[in-house]
Amino acid sequence: MTTTVKTPSRAILRDSLISILLYTLPIGLMFLSFYISGSKPWLQASSEHLGFRAPAFVEAVFNNLKTWGLPAIMVVVGIVEFSVGFYENKWTKNERTLDIVCFILPKVVLRPMIAYFGLKLLPFILPDAKNIFAWVPFWWGFAIMAVADDLTQYWYHRLHHQLPLLWRFHRTHHSAPYMGMAMTSRQNIIYTAFFSQIYLTVALTYLGLGYPALFVGGIKSLITTAAHSSIKWDKPFYTIRWLNPIGWVMERLISTPATHHAHHADTSDDGVGYYKGNFGNMFFIWDLIFGTGIITRQYPAAYGLKHYKEEEWYAQLLWPIFKSKKEGSELAQNGPVVGGEEEEAPAPVVVQPVAAIVRAEAV
């Protein structure tokens, strides 16, 4: 698998300008709706609230997704995957240690620490801005947060594939020769520490969009976790006729096992794998807009890196602080950037902007 993809700077500039329009779209639509309705909610004294009546347990579920809820779901599904042999003999001691540490460290230490210190620091940087946007109606706040969070992560993810300088910070996530709950959080610690949307979410929460951030974060966690699962839960939507219309919309809107597994394939030569694209996390629609996606409704035969040398778990977690001792590894001292392989010319975009090509039915 050739891991990084060269992209002309002109294409990145073009897509960046499109992104600016996408970031501002929900805000513009919100004010347009205010203009049409004649409402001016920013003039009303208000505090942050859901804006609709929701059962207490619904809010509790989304609150707990960021604490014990999502980890509990991942552990249960992971046990199911393991018990039916999805990991086969690929989950070695080294892989298991890496997956477990990457699962615990960000959730227990890193992300809570960033959120805590961020919310402590922001009052000094923006002393008069706390809850300044609390007047924003919940659903508009939800739309603004969903675009801001996921489009930012799309770019963070995409650039780590397309810029060789950044690739090795993301490589750990792609080294797993399997898909499943175990590797969902598998990332280099520096990649996680600079996860741009963490800071964005903290800032917008301080500004008064905490509830939208809570629900966006919960829904996104469920979608991205399900997309990494080795359980092909989306397959019935392609094989059962009356579910086909739902499947057609779903695979273009959000990440599914078929589209995201393609991103983790060890090759693109089979017409199914597409590690050069399918960068979307919660929303797959970004890949359609920017022409970086492919939809085949099939699943790769193999995952990971063809030049993977099973580097030590600590090197994958903490590179470049700790380097691998494996000769020829990208993570070794003075190691090659892309496993010693020559970069191939970028292939033509498979999915044209705002249009996906379904090249094969599910098998």
Side-chain angles (χ1 to χ4, degrees):
M1 167 183 169
T2 302
T3 44
T4 57
V5 183
K6 293 179 179 177
T7 299
S9 57
R10 183 178 298 178
I12 291 181
L13 176 61
R14 178 202 63 204
D15 292 349
S16 299
L17 294 175
I18 294 173
S19 295
I20 292 173
L21 295 177
L22 291 171
Y23 278 120
T24 58
L25 181 62
I27 300 173
L29 291 175
M30 178 180 69
F31 280 103
L32 178 62
S33 73
F34 294 157
Y35 175 78
I36 294 173
S37 64
S39 61
K40 297 180 179 180
W42 58 88
L43 297 179
Q44 303 170 6
S46 62
S47 58
E48 191 182 19
H49 60 285
L50 278 176
F52 63 92
R53 298 184 64 180
F57 77 88
V58 172
E59 187 174 349
V61 166
F62 281 97
N63 270 307
N64 291 325
L65 277 174
K66 288 299 183 182
T67 54
W68 57 264
L70 185 64
I73 292 173
M74 293 174 67
V75 168
V76 171
V77 177
I79 291 173
V80 173
E81 292 175 333
F82 188 79
S83 64
V84 297
F86 279 123
Y87 294 98
E88 298 174 342
N89 297 319
K90 298 174 182 176
W91 211 32
T92 63
K93 181 180 179 181
N94 187 64
E95 304 300 312
R96 183 166 61 250
T97 302
L98 177 60
D99 287 343
I100 292 173
V101 172
C102 288
F103 178 82
I104 295 174
L105 189 59
K107 290 177 170 54
V108 176
V109 179
L110 193 59
R111 294 189 184 189
M113 183 177 68
I114 291 173
Y116 175 79
F117 285 106
L119 293 174
K120 289 292 184 181
L121 182 62
L122 282 168
F124 294 97
I125 301 175
L126 302 169
D128 300 321
K130 183 174 176 60
N131 291 327
I132 194 173
F133 295 131
W135 55 267
V136 175
F138 174 80
W139 288 114
W140 283 117
F142 183 92
I144 292 169
M145 279 296 306
V147 172
D149 177 290
D150 203 55
L151 183 54
T152 300
Q153 187 173 358
Y154 165 87
W155 273 105
Y156 188 71
H157 185 193
R158 174 176 166 176
L159 291 176
H160 275 77
H161 276 269
Q162 295 182 334
L163 300 181
L165 177 67
L166 297 177
W167 160 248
R168 282 183 282 193
F169 293 108
H170 181 53
R171 176 188 185 276
T172 300
H173 189 58
H174 282 266
S175 66
Y178 46 81
M179 292 295 292
M181 294 295 101
M183 52 76 65
T184 302
S185 303
R186 178 178 172 135
Q187 294 283 10
N188 176 283
I189 196 66
I190 294 176
Y191 181 92
T192 303
F194 287 93
F195 226 42
S196 47
Q197 70 275 19
I198 296 176
Y199 303 94
L200 179 67
T201 299
V202 170
L204 292 177
T205 298
Y206 173 75
L207 296 175
L209 295 175
Y211 273 116
L214 170 69
F215 275 73
V216 168
I219 292 172
K220 180 173 182 173
S221 295
L222 292 174
I223 291 174
T224 55
T225 299
H228 281 88
S229 174
S230 60
I231 299 173
K232 300 167 184 174
W233 56 265
D234 57 335
K235 193 170 185 178
F237 291 93
Y238 316 138
T239 56
I240 300 176
R241 184 177 296 275
W242 66 271
L243 289 176
N244 286 173
I246 300 175
W248 190 94
V249 173
M250 179 183 68
E251 66 189 352
R252 286 160 174 76
L253 179 62
I254 65 172
S255 290
T256 63
T259 55
H260 198 67
H261 282 210
H263 177 69
H264 282 266
D266 69 349
T267 182
S268 62
D269 296 337
D270 58 2
V272 176
Y274 197 57
Y275 54 82
K276 300 176 182 180
N278 289 23
F279 301 122
N281 294 275
M282 174 166 62
F283 294 128
F284 186 75
I285 195 170
W286 310 132
D287 287 293
L288 302 188
I289 292 173
F290 299 118
T292 57
I294 181 175
I295 297 175
T296 67
R297 295 185 174 181
Q298 298 186 70
Y299 309 87
Y303 302 98
L305 308 173
K306 284 191 176 297
H307 53 265
Y308 183 43
K309 299 184 181 298
E310 297 186 38
E311 290 87 357
E312 305 87 345
W313 68 267
Y314 56 83
Q316 295 197 61
L317 175 68
L318 296 168
W319 185 92
I321 301 171
F322 292 102
K323 294 183 171 63
S324 174
K325 298 177 182 178
K326 299 294 181 73
E327 185 178 354
S329 167
E330 297 169 90
L331 306 183
Q333 185 74 31
N334 300 319
V337 175
V338 188
E341 298 178 2
E342 290 296 326
E343 186 63 69
E344 58 189 49
V349 174
V350 179
V351 178
Q352 298 301 322
V354 203
I357 298 175
V358 179
R359 296 193 294 158
E361 294 298 324
V363 292

